[in-house]
Every structure is written in structure tokens, then in C-alpha cells.
Amino acid sequence: MVKAVVGANWGDEGKGKITDMLAQNADVVVRFQGGANAGHTIKNRYGKFALHTLPSGVFNENTVNIIGNGVALNIPILMKELEDIVSKGVPKPVILISERAQIIMPYHIKFDEYEEERLGGRSFGSTKSGIAPFYSDKFAKIGFQVSDLWDSEKALMQKIESVSVQKNVLLEHLYHKSAIDPEETFATLMKYKEMIAPYVCDVSSFLYDALKADKTILLEGQLGTLKDCDHGIYPMVTSSNTIAAYGAVGCGIPPYEIKQIISVVKAYSSSVGAGEFVSEIHDEEAADELRRRGGDGGEYGATTGRPRRMGWFDCVATHYGCRLQGTTDVAFTVLDVLGYLDEIPVCVGYEIDGKVTKEFPVTRLLRCAKPVYETLPGWNCDISGIREYEKLPENCRKYIEFIEKHIGYPITMISNGPARDDIIYRRSPLNK
Ligand code: GDP
């Protein structure tokens, strides 16, 4: 059985925590897209960790952790993360890397930096992890697959030289930077080869056997629907597909095997980087208070430490986010944080050109969308530690039920704290 844990918002919804929790009963956890440009923060008995490339199943000894072909593989970062968790007492996890995954080359990171520098004030706010240049090269068919590292020295060198010719024109004439040295690139790739050799395998065939053996496989998404390259707030999106459907492509399993899609939705909104964000809180004081209280230790990027932009819950964006994911279950997270508010605005529609819509529009129209709010009473108390739905304060249940009705997808899990067992399971009236 395959389950996917994905984000229905702008990312940072708490997918790491939900995956870590569900991974306890999973045989396999798979990363299927994205790279080290975003991170999951996980708090468990070993401590607090920010994972960027490692799947969140690495804390369970019996779980196989897979880096699928859809991932932008930064080999030194992956190795450093692995060393880091082991040095903190986590038993060495089982890791498999797809031989079809492509490698982030050192020049991808440089191109990312140089392009942001060139764009200046018009930049994308990239994390400069090389993700956009990486995916551009992958689709331009000049990327390097992990399996290429085992090609003959001559063939690999020829490929590096051919790619360098093209890249060096841009480096010299557009960015005025030093050229790629093919010899040095080759030597770097040989180091990478040594680092990952023990982990490389035919992932789709491994998963085929795992499915036949009736194993539980968890697909772990990065970022959220609104950062999906096709369905998100283009162009302020990531360069890969963040929706569950891509899970099949990104590790090589049939799409019909994905039976459960758990969309992680945060009880308020946050977004990192530039881009349209209709329910953003513009009152700096109010935004800062939520930012400081948010998540576990504040809403600051797990990879970059950048302060996140804060917003009220957005039913329009979340309905759309859940719809594109194909949600079977919503995990509603970080609800405990809202306990300090007397009243809580919730965005229930967008006003565009004088008309109110509940459908999330294309970016051009998002730019002029104004949020339509309904304000709900707060519950003014700490709900952490509660384990039964009925024990939540009435106004808190009303907040959940109001949002569930507006987004139209069943909220079956409520997370009221960062730890694994801070979870309330609920039978949703929307479940048949
Ligand atoms: P991800 O990329 O979707 O995994 O999101 P993040 O790594 O940004 O996780 C969100 C942050 O919120 C992390 O610091 C988590 O430990 C924390 N977190 C997750 N769920 C909850 C929750 O229910 N309550 C609180 N207070 N923090 C949570």
C-alpha cells in the first residue's frame, strides 16, 4: 500500500512531523522530488533535526529510506546530513539512491547564485541550492544521472567537456565569471561516486518487489501545492512538481498504487520567498507575534533561517491545494499556536474585480485578489497535551469544523504540538 504525505499550502506545513509519525509503521519512505532547498524539521526521541534530502523515515531502524529519481541530488549535503544524524546517536539508517536520480553539479549552485545576482531586485528569492539550473539541465538533456558515474572515463569526460562549452559561454559573457574546468569537474564526480557507491540501486525494481510483498510505502513530498511548478503561483514556484501525482513518476511506481493521500495543512498560513500571498498579514506587529509563536521555535526557514511571511488561514488556496493533491485525509497542524488569539480571521473568498470567488485563480488574477475574511472566536487556552477530539475547547472544534466545511476535505488528524505523539485522530463527517 502506498501513502503520500504532501503539503497543500506553500510548504512548511509540518510534513516532516507527520511523515516521521507515520514512518513508524512504514517499511519504506521515499523522497520523490525537490532537493536540499527546503527542509523538514523533526523532533523525536533523538533530538531536533532539520532534514533537507534524507527521507523522514531515517529515525526508524526498520524503514528503508529511498531517494527517488525525481530528486535533485546534492551528494555532499546528503552525506553530511547522514553523518550528522549518526553523530547525534541515530542508528545508521538504510538508504537507497536511485541510479536514475540526477546530480546537482557544483556549477548548478554557481549559476543559481549568479542569476539571482544578475536579476537583483527582480530575483526569485532562490535558496541558491542550484535547483532551477539543475531541473533546466535535466529537461534540456544535459544532466548527469547517478549511473553516469559508472560510465567509462572517456565517455564521462566527453560529456563534461561538451556541457562545459555551452555553460562557459554564459559564464564568460553573461556573468563575467570564471569558466568550468572539466578536469576539476571530473575529479569532483569521482569523489561523489565514492561517497554514494554503497547506496545506489534500481529503485523502481526494489519498489515493485516491495509492492508485491505488500509493504507499506510512504511518499514524502517537499514544499506544497502552491509551489508546484505547473499548478502553483508560477513563476514564484519551485522547479519540480510537488503534487502527489508526481510521486509515481519520481520513484517509478504505477500511479494507481497510491491509495491514501494525506495533505498536510497548517492552521494558519506562512510562505517563504516572494510571490502572491492573498491572506498575508500586513500588520507587522500581528505578523511578528504569530511568526515568533509559530511552529516550534518560530516560523523561520529550516534551510535558510529566513523569516517566513505570515498569513491567516486561506480556505480558497487550501481547497485548491487539497484538490490538486487528490486528498483523502487532511492532517491539520500547528493548531496549538493559535491559542493566544481572542479572535481569528479566516479567508473564505477572494474578491477579484468586484466579484467574490472561491476558486483559486491563475497568477495574473491572484495579483489583484483581495481576501474576504470571516472572523471566528478564539479559544484562549493551551490545547497541547489533549489527545481526544471531544476534549478540545468548543471554539477550537468550531474553527476546525468551519475550515473543514470550507475546504471540503476530511480533517482526520489534528496536530497540537511538534512531538510525534502530539496528535488527535478524528472521524470526519466528510468520510463516507
Ligand atoms: P515541513 O517542511 O512541512 O516539514 O515543515 P517544517 O519543517 O517547517 O515544520 C514546521 C515546524 O512546525 C517544525 O518546527 C515542526 O517541529 C513544527 N510543528 C509541526 N507540527 C506542529 C504542531 O502541531 N505544533 C507546533 N507547535 N509545532 C509543530
Side-chain angles (χ1 to χ4, degrees), residues 228-341:
D228 182 276
C229 196
D230 288 74
H231 299 285
I233 50 170
Y234 192 87
M236 294 303 181
V237 290
T238 195
S239 303
S240 65
N241 291 103
T242 58
I243 58 173
Y246 193 76
V249 179
C251 65
I253 56 166
Y256 57 76
E257 294 288 358
I258 308 174
K259 306 287 190 226
Q260 193 183 11
I261 299 176
I262 301 154
S263 288
V264 185
V265 164
K266 194 148 72 174
Y268 52 88
S269 301
S270 75
S271 170
V272 79
E276 282 60 40
F277 187 19
V278 177
S279 67
E280 181 163 15
I281 303 171
H282 294 291
D283 173 342
E284 205 24 65
E285 213 173 299
D288 199 49
E289 169 133 48
L290 185 53
R291 184 180 301 116
R292 276 188 287 105
R293 291 173 177 268
D296 179 31
E299 290 284 357
Y300 303 92
T303 302
T304 57
R306 286 189 287 188
R308 293 174 181 152
R309 294 160 68 196
M310 306 304 297
W312 301 119
F313 190 86
D314 183 338
C315 296
V316 179
T318 308
H319 164 71
Y320 175 81
C322 288
R323 175 161 74 74
L324 267 297
Q325 292 290 6
T327 305
T328 59
D329 292 80
V330 172
F332 196 56
T333 60
V334 216
L335 186 60
D336 48 307
V337 160
L338 299 183
Y340 75 98
L341 291 160

Side-chain angles (χ1 to χ4, degrees), residues 15-16 19-20 23 29 40 42 51 54-60 65 220:
K15 294 177 293 296
T19 314
D20 176 58
V29 178
H40 296 306
I42 295 173
L51 300 184
L54 283 177
S56 300
V58 289
F59 303 102
N60 298 304
N65 294 278
E220 177 178 27

Side-chain angles (χ1 to χ4, degrees), residues 27-197:
D27 300 298
V28 184
V29 178
V30 185
R31 279 284 315 269
F32 60 88
Q33 46 82 221
N37 51 329
H40 296 306
T41 315
I42 295 173
K43 201 172 186 176
N44 56 28
R45 67 194 159 107
Y46 296 107
K48 191 174 173 181
F49 299 89
L51 300 184
H52 305 283
T53 302
L54 283 177
S56 300
V58 289
F59 303 102
N60 298 304
E61 283 171 79
N62 301 325
T63 305
V64 175
N65 294 278
I66 293 189
I67 314 278
N69 55 278
V71 168
L73 179 63
N74 185 320
I75 294 171
I77 288 193
L78 175 71
M79 292 300 129
K80 200 174 159 296
E81 256 178 53
L82 194 53
E83 269 169 35
D84 183 52
I85 63 163
V86 172
S87 76
K88 288 180 180 154
V90 179
K92 191 155 191 236
V94 182
I95 312 266
L96 300 179
I97 300 174
S98 167
E99 57 193 0
R100 290 177 186 274
Q102 296 209 4
I103 304 166
I104 296 235
M105 304 291 281
Y107 53 76
H108 287 141
I109 298 166
K110 290 200 175 131
F111 272 92
D112 207 350
E113 273 170 34
Y114 299 160
E115 182 61 8
E116 287 282 292
E117 201 177 294
R118 188 183 74 87
L119 290 172
R122 294 170 295 123
S123 79
F124 287 90
S126 161
T127 58
K128 302 184 183 119
S129 315
I131 305 296
F134 164 90
Y135 281 108
S136 307
D137 281 3
K138 175 172 174 175
F139 293 107
K141 296 172 286 188
I142 54 168
F144 288 80
Q145 279 194 339
V146 162
S147 65
D148 290 339
L149 300 177
W150 277 266
D151 209 344
S152 73
E153 188 174 328
K154 188 167 164 230
L156 187 55
M157 196 60 199
Q158 258 173 6
K159 185 167 175 181
I160 297 172
E161 275 166 353
S162 153
V163 174
S164 303
V165 169
Q166 197 197 97
K167 301 276 169 208
N168 285 343
V169 173
L170 287 174
L171 285 170
E172 187 182 344
H173 299 287
L174 182 65
Y175 299 119
H176 311 292
K177 304 280 183 187
S178 51
I180 295 169
D181 174 356
E183 299 282 347
E184 194 185 317
T185 307
F186 183 84
T188 306
L189 289 187
M190 288 302 101
K191 266 192 256 153
Y192 288 178
K193 179 181 175 181
E194 209 181 305
M195 289 178 192
I196 59 165

